[in-house]
Amino acid sequence: MPEQITLYTAKICPWAHRAEITLKESNLPYKRYEIDLKDKPEWYAPKISSVGKVPAITYGGPDVSPEDPSPESQKLAESGVLIQFFADLDQSLLPKDPFTRAKARFFIETASPLISGAFLGAVTRGENPEGVLTAIEAIQKLLPEEGYAVGEWSIADAAVTPFFARAEVAFKNDLGKYEEGKGKATWAKLETDEKYARFRKYFADLKSRKASKRHFTRT
Ligand SMILES: N[C@@H](CCC(=O)N[C@@H](CS)C(=O)NCC(=O)O)C(=O)O
């Protein structure tokens, strides 16, 4: 019987989305608990995550209500740490070959800050959305000719999917602090320019995963 996992998450959060995608792709049973980031429960920081952020998990201990976490369970936070931990628990989330596993970790370390920085920079700080195109050009160079980040789907893909998915929704609707019109123009370039053909295929592959679909269609 595997240890219980309770994921504390928030639908709006791209970091939490990394953990959710990974768990949905896994064979690990888990409970999901939505944290309202605008009105966090008082027990959340003292009992689950001292910094008060999502995602976080409880692992092991008795099967209790997520609102009444047991002192006997272990507590863990940080999306990058969590997805690696899930991959340690469920070997299907990373390739078996040690070098390919290292490449997946390399992809997480290098591609994630590129896309998260460019996307969040545009939406929250008003930087030029074209920064996302620059990030995508660099990420394309890390991708194999076909398939996912290291061929088969892995946690490397879970690490970046939330940012691409949010960039699409935000830019197509011109949402964010950047100059009006620039989001739509950037996404149009991404959808049409031959330069981004490899990314378009990669993004279509990511979106075809059941785990990505379920997140965006659930109410
Ligand atoms: N480095 C963290 C970032 C997590 C994070 O920033 N989460 C935000 C939501 S997207 C949060 O919980 N913020 C606390 C708050 O809004 O009160 C990770 O990768 O897990």
Side-chain angles (χ1 to χ4, degrees):
M1 186 69 177
E3 301 280 7
Q4 76 79 29
I5 297 174
T6 302
L7 174 70
Y8 294 86
T9 183
K11 202 172 173 195
I12 197 172
C13 176
W15 309 103
H17 191 191
R18 295 167 119 190
E20 284 208 61
I21 291 175
T22 304
L23 282 173
K24 281 179 191 154
E25 290 281 352
S26 79
N27 298 308
L28 301 166
Y30 69 99
K31 270 187 219 163
R32 177 190 192 281
Y33 186 85
E34 177 81 14
I35 294 289
D36 180 350
L37 292 175
K38 293 211 173 76
D39 185 19
K40 276 187 282 186
E42 270 171 28
W43 48 264
Y44 186 63
K47 290 194 175 170
I48 303 292
S49 163
S50 55
V51 290
K53 291 189 176 183
V54 293
I57 60 164
T58 63
Y59 176 69
D63 186 13
V64 292
S65 157
E67 292 173 4
D68 188 18
S70 165
E72 287 170 51
S73 61
Q74 315 228 47
K75 317 294 186 295
L76 194 64
E78 278 299 323
S79 61
V81 173
L82 292 175
I83 63 176
Q84 303 263 356
F85 178 57
F86 300 148
D88 285 340
L89 296 177
D90 178 344
Q91 308 285 314
S92 71
L93 298 170
L94 267 178
K96 295 235 172 328
D97 171 59
F99 191 76
T100 318
R101 293 166 80 86
K103 276 176 72 178
R105 295 193 176 104
F106 178 81
F107 187 89
I108 295 173
E109 291 279 323
T110 52
S112 305
L114 286 173
I115 187 59
S116 63
F119 167 66
L120 295 171
V123 171
T124 65
R125 296 190 296 273
E127 293 166 13
N128 192 335
E130 293 226 345
V132 164
L133 298 180
T134 311
I136 283 173
E137 266 190 82
I139 292 170
Q140 283 192 142
K141 292 191 184 131
L142 300 172
L143 292 171
E145 265 175 42
E146 52 187 46
Y148 295 98
V150 290
E152 291 302 303
W153 188 92
S154 73
I155 56 169
D157 305 295
V160 291
T161 299
F163 299 99
F164 297 142
R166 280 163 180 73
E168 178 175 34
V169 174
F171 290 177
K172 273 186 170 172
N173 294 289
D174 233 17
L175 302 171
K177 285 195 171 172
Y178 49 79
E179 199 181 312
E180 202 181 329
K182 287 218 163 158
K184 281 187 181 174
T186 299
W187 202 262
K189 225 184 237 183
L190 198 55
E191 280 185 329
T192 51
D193 195 324
E194 197 45 38
K195 212 156 78 177
Y196 307 111
R198 178 64 187 99
F199 171 76
R200 285 199 292 275
K201 177 71 177 76
Y202 177 52
F203 192 36
D205 288 344
L206 292 175
K207 286 204 280 189
S208 74
R209 307 290 302 186
K210 241 166 64 188
S212 312
K213 281 198 178 137
R214 275 163 54 196
H215 190 89
F216 287 104
T217 51
R218 195 178 46 222
T219 51

